[in-house]
Amino acid sequence: MRARSAPSVHNTQPWRFHLSPGELSIYADRSRQLMALDPTARSLTISCGCALMNARVSLAASGANVQVQRFPDPGAPDLLARLISGEVGDDSIEALAGLDQVLELRQTNRREFVDNDVPEDLIGTLEDAAAREGSSLFVIRTDEQRLTVATVCRHADAIEHLSPAYRAELRAWTTDDSTPLDGGPGGNQCLVLLCTNGDGPADWLRAGEALERVLLEITRHGYVASPFTQVTQVPAARAHLRQELRLVGYPHVLLRVGRAPLTPGSRRRRLVDVLIED
């Protein structure tokens, strides 16, 4: 079950899978929701969207055509998606299958990045990957935009750390790795902001699918990515960012893209804890 290798907020891995003949269902695991950081389950749903993308990629690599039904049952809000085999797929399975080779190589990398330019053709590839999933990438290009992003990041970080409940969640879910991490956006780093046209649960799920597709493309081209999470976790910061950058859509994830030393892989939940088979 390679969907487990998806990224998630604070590595909570807030998903469950139900496998039955010809069908795979993905559920939100509310026991792993961060109530202080993520009371609306926005980050949880984005995380599950990443797992959904991994499932789509893995199935495409096996040659399976699948149809994705998102939020298929209004009476079961925890059922986020259902993948049905043998149906006409939402996308070319060849395009998705090509990402399978890097599915388990993708890493969230929070080390110091080398201050190198990211090629414009790669940025174009990432924009196309997001668009294929009903999302868009806003590229931070000007000094004014960089200053805005850095200022809002610092402000959001300060807001979060004022909350004892947030600090408790951070201690409970993050690692004890003491290796110094890079401090924030700056310099000539390549920064991209993942956005969707709407800002509801269905948009969050699609944002997660787009995010993972973008991350897999970054990995396939030999680069790494790191999210600056605070700026999109704090609602007021998201609204401020949208206003200051004059975004048409709603921002969900700010990514730094570049090159950095490899990091150890994140620990994964046991398969028996996340998968139910009929």
Side-chain angles (χ1 to χ4, degrees), residues 171-191:
R171 288 193 300 270
W173 288 100
T174 57
T175 69
D176 295 326
D177 183 2
S178 60
T179 304
L181 304 181
D182 196 11
N188 294 320
Q189 297 172 355
C190 175
L191 300 174

Side-chain angles (χ1 to χ4, degrees), residues 1-271:
M1 177 58 68
R2 302 178 73 194
R4 292 183 302 153
S5 63
S8 58
V9 57
H10 288 346
N11 198 34
T12 49
Q13 302 171 54
W15 44 63
R16 292 184 295 109
F17 306 97
H18 187 173
L19 183 62
S20 56
E23 186 176 301
L24 175 67
S25 298
I26 300 178
Y27 289 82
D29 185 346
R30 303 290 176 178
S31 70
R32 303 179 77 83
Q33 182 176 347
L34 303 172
M35 298 309 298
L37 174 68
D38 187 33
T40 64
R42 175 184 160 277
S43 294
L44 178 149
T45 307
I46 291 174
S47 300
C48 289
C50 291
L52 171 57
M53 173 53 65
N54 275 9
R56 289 172 55 195
V57 167
S58 184
L59 288 167
S62 71
N65 275 305
V66 296
Q67 181 187 61
V68 183
Q69 298 177 349
R70 298 169 181 86
F71 294 94
D73 185 353
D78 288 348
L79 175 57
L80 302 185
R82 181 182 290 136
L83 293 88
I84 302 174
S85 66
E87 301 287 343
V88 177
D90 295 335
D91 198 355
S92 164
I93 65 170
E94 290 81 8
L96 290 175
L99 298 172
D100 183 71
Q101 60 186 321
V102 297
L103 197 142
E104 294 183 355
L105 299 178
R106 182 215 56 80
Q107 292 183 327
T108 298
N109 196 313
R110 299 184 185 276
R111 304 297 179 238
E112 185 173 358
F113 278 38
V114 177
D115 198 13
N116 287 341
D117 290 337
V118 174
E120 282 295 327
D121 58 348
L122 174 55
I123 293 176
T125 297
L126 303 183
E127 290 174 324
D128 178 68
R132 286 174 177 265
E133 300 304 324
S135 301
S136 62
L137 278 187
F138 181 88
V139 183
I140 308 299
R141 295 189 181 278
T142 70
D143 290 341
E144 181 182 4
Q145 290 171 345
R146 291 178 180 279
L147 178 60
T148 294
V149 169
T151 302
V152 177
C153 276
R154 287 193 294 268
H155 182 60
D157 185 63
I159 290 174
E160 286 191 331
H161 280 85
L162 285 174
S163 167
Y166 166 77
R167 296 197 301 270
E169 282 184 344
L170 196 64
R171 288 193 300 270
W173 288 100
T174 57
T175 69
D176 295 326
D177 183 2
S178 60
T179 304
L181 304 181
D182 196 11
N188 294 320
Q189 297 172 355
C190 175
L191 300 174
V192 295
L193 191 59
L194 180 73
C195 304
T196 59
N197 290 333
D199 193 23
D203 303 293
W204 304 339
L205 190 67
R206 291 310 303 260
E209 293 177 82
L211 171 61
E212 181 66 344
R213 187 160 186 163
V214 166
L215 292 174
L216 292 175
E217 286 288 0
I218 289 170
T219 305
R220 178 158 67 169
H221 285 80
Y223 288 78
V224 295
S226 173
F228 292 110
T229 54
Q230 294 91 337
V231 70
T232 51
Q233 286 170 346
V234 176
R238 287 202 306 275
H240 189 197
L241 200 62
R242 185 173 186 239
Q243 178 181 2
E244 292 298 315
L245 295 179
R246 299 178 178 85
L247 300 174
V248 175
Y250 293 85
H252 295 296
V253 182
L254 175 66
L255 287 177
R256 169 181 53 178
V257 183
R259 299 189 188 274
L262 292 178
T263 62
S266 300
R267 183 176 299 175
R268 294 291 150 186
R269 299 176 69 185
R270 298 182 306 163
L271 187 59

